[in-house]
Amino acid sequence: MSTLLEVQGLKKYFRTPHGMLHAVDDISFTLEQGKTLGVVGESGCGKSTLGRVILHLLEPTGGKIFFEGQDITGLRGKELKHSHKEMQMIFQDPYSSINPRMCVRDIIGEPLKTYKLCASREEYNSKVLSLMETVGLAARVADSYPHELDGGRRQRIGVARALALEPKFIVCDEPVSALDVSIQAQILNLLMDLQEQLGLTYIFITHDLSVVKHISDDICVMYLGKMVEKCSSEELFSSHLHPYTEALLSAIPLPKLNVRRERILLKGELTSPIDPKPGCRFAPRCLHACDQCFSQQPELREVEPEHFVACHRAEELRDAKRQGS
């Protein structure tokens, strides 16, 4: 299977009165066509910023972005507009990401008008209704307004709008976090069905590890702008190696009565992402930190086949876990 997206050393810094905020700091990965990369981490880790930089909604500070082998890092004007046909986004809040003064038909059809893809009003209406059917929206709501619909239908509008230009790649930025649990399952199943039918490639951003396990082929874990672990979904949940990943997984509730998972409570001060000091950014909260962790930034390296970890003590913790089991 061919590589659709490749990111090399991607950085996004924001200037603040106190210095440069390192929102995304030296992120690299590849994503194969038709696959889903889950991106997880707590609020403020830079996962949403990463998605927006890849799509050029924010300009990168450094690094390279390759799409289908082409360097799209410096695209501007018409070239950037053309690349947006292939790369779309589904936003977290379905209400704030759509125009409340437009009806469903016009919201979904707006990309068709922008790119002049319909020769007549009849073709336009036909494509809009086809998109609505694809995402499970009844034709009767075509002339309704967002405030008249529930959260699930609003998010289906966002999905239909993202599909309007027939993209190959979609960034899903926490698309189910604002929805009820029952509606979350519907939207997740819709996204997975669309991926199978249309051959779509996703980056799925979320803070919910149980959700990302359901939809992702590979998962990367971010902490304060850095990628700290990346491997297959199955590997992450069975043989995770980074202490931060272990703490995240310990917070997932078990759906069993009288069975509790041992929680790992992180203590200590968060490292400031503004001009961060040398060393591991997780070290002040890590139960396994050593002197090297406070003085030297660990590189993301392959500790197991296709399992990458940014931790000085990864092998030591892996061996200790195996001996303990």
Side-chain angles (χ1 to χ4, degrees):
M1 196 168 289
S2 62
T3 297
L4 183 76
L5 179 72
E6 182 177 359
V7 171
Q8 297 179 356
L10 194 62
K11 299 178 181 180
K12 179 58 183 178
Y13 300 164
F14 295 95
R15 189 176 301 279
T16 75
H18 305 288
M20 298 299 290
L21 190 153
H22 293 217
V24 173
D25 205 354
D26 198 20
I27 298 291
S28 300
F29 63 85
T30 59
L31 181 56
E32 291 184 350
Q33 189 170 355
K35 298 292 186 179
T36 299
L37 173 67
V39 181
V40 300
E42 57 193 320
S43 297
C45 70
K47 54 188 185 295
S48 292
T49 303
L50 173 64
R52 291 167 187 262
V53 172
I54 290 171
L55 294 185
H56 280 277
L57 299 180
L58 295 170
E59 287 300 311
T61 303
K64 295 285 187 180
I65 306 166
F66 296 89
F67 186 75
E68 294 186 313
Q70 179 189 0
D71 185 356
I72 64 169
T73 314
L75 294 186
R76 297 290 186 277
K78 290 182 178 179
E79 291 180 334
L80 180 59
K81 183 179 178 180
H82 177 73
S83 77
H84 281 163
K85 279 189 69 177
E86 307 288 349
M87 309 167 72
Q88 289 290 303
M89 190 167 193
I90 300 170
F91 294 91
Q92 178 178 358
D93 185 349
Y95 192 66
S96 64
S97 62
I98 54 182
N99 190 335
R101 297 185 179 184
M102 295 173 68
C103 67
V104 173
R105 186 193 309 275
D106 291 337
I107 292 169
I108 295 173
E110 189 174 20
L112 300 174
K113 291 181 178 178
T114 301
Y115 284 83
K116 300 178 180 178
L117 298 180
C118 298
S120 65
R121 184 69 182 181
E122 290 75 18
E123 183 183 358
Y124 171 83
N125 286 328
S126 176
K127 284 193 175 183
V128 169
L129 291 175
S130 176
L131 286 164
M132 291 177 65
E133 182 181 359
T134 299
V135 301
L137 279 171
R140 67 176 182 274
V141 303
D143 295 313
S144 300
Y145 288 84
H147 72 271
E148 300 177 288
L149 305 175
D150 59 36
R153 287 191 178 91
R154 290 174 191 162
Q155 194 58 286
R156 289 176 190 271
I157 295 171
V159 175
R161 183 178 59 180
L163 293 175
L165 299 177
E166 300 180 3
K168 297 177 181 177
F169 170 64
I170 298 178
V171 174
C172 307
D173 185 11
E174 303 204 39
V176 297
S177 63
L179 306 176
D180 294 336
V181 174
S182 60
I183 306 300
Q184 285 185 10
Q186 294 176 22
I187 298 300
L188 284 174
N189 289 332
L190 170 65
L191 291 172
M192 294 173 73
D193 290 343
L194 290 171
Q195 183 174 44
E196 185 175 349
Q197 294 167 16
L198 305 175
L200 296 171
T201 305
Y202 294 144
I203 284 182
F204 192 92
I205 297 167
T206 183
H207 61 271
D208 190 333
L209 281 159
S210 57
V211 168
V212 81
K213 180 182 181 181
H214 183 65
I215 196 172
S216 300
D217 297 293
D218 295 321
I219 298 176
C220 75
V221 182
M222 288 186 65
Y223 184 80
L224 290 182
K226 285 284 189 180
M227 186 185 295
V228 297
E229 188 161 8
K230 180 182 181 294
C231 58
S232 69
S233 177
E234 182 180 351
E235 179 86 1
L236 189 87
F237 282 84
S238 63
S239 306
H240 49 275
L241 297 176
H242 198 281
Y244 177 61
T245 307
E246 188 170 18
L248 285 180
L249 291 172
S250 75
I252 301 176
L254 293 173
K256 298 179 182 178
L257 292 174
N258 303 321
V259 178
R260 290 188 177 184
R261 194 193 303 269
E262 184 180 350
R263 282 293 310 274
I264 299 174
L265 300 177
L266 297 178
K267 301 178 181 179
E269 292 290 329
L270 279 168
T271 301
S272 173
I274 299 176
D275 295 328
K277 298 177 182 178
C280 176
R281 295 179 190 179
F282 183 61
R285 304 172 74 192
C286 183
L287 300 174
H288 307 284
C290 60
D291 291 342
Q292 185 184 14
C293 301
F294 290 94
S295 60
Q296 182 181 346
Q297 173 66 46
E299 296 295 325
L300 188 73
R301 53 198 173 83
E302 192 172 17
V303 177
E304 296 279 343
E306 299 300 318
H307 191 152
F308 300 85
V309 187
C311 177
H312 293 302
R313 302 186 63 188
E315 289 88 353
E316 182 183 345
L317 295 174
R318 176 200 60 194
D319 295 342
K321 186 183 294 187
R322 287 176 178 173
Q323 291 174 5
S325 60

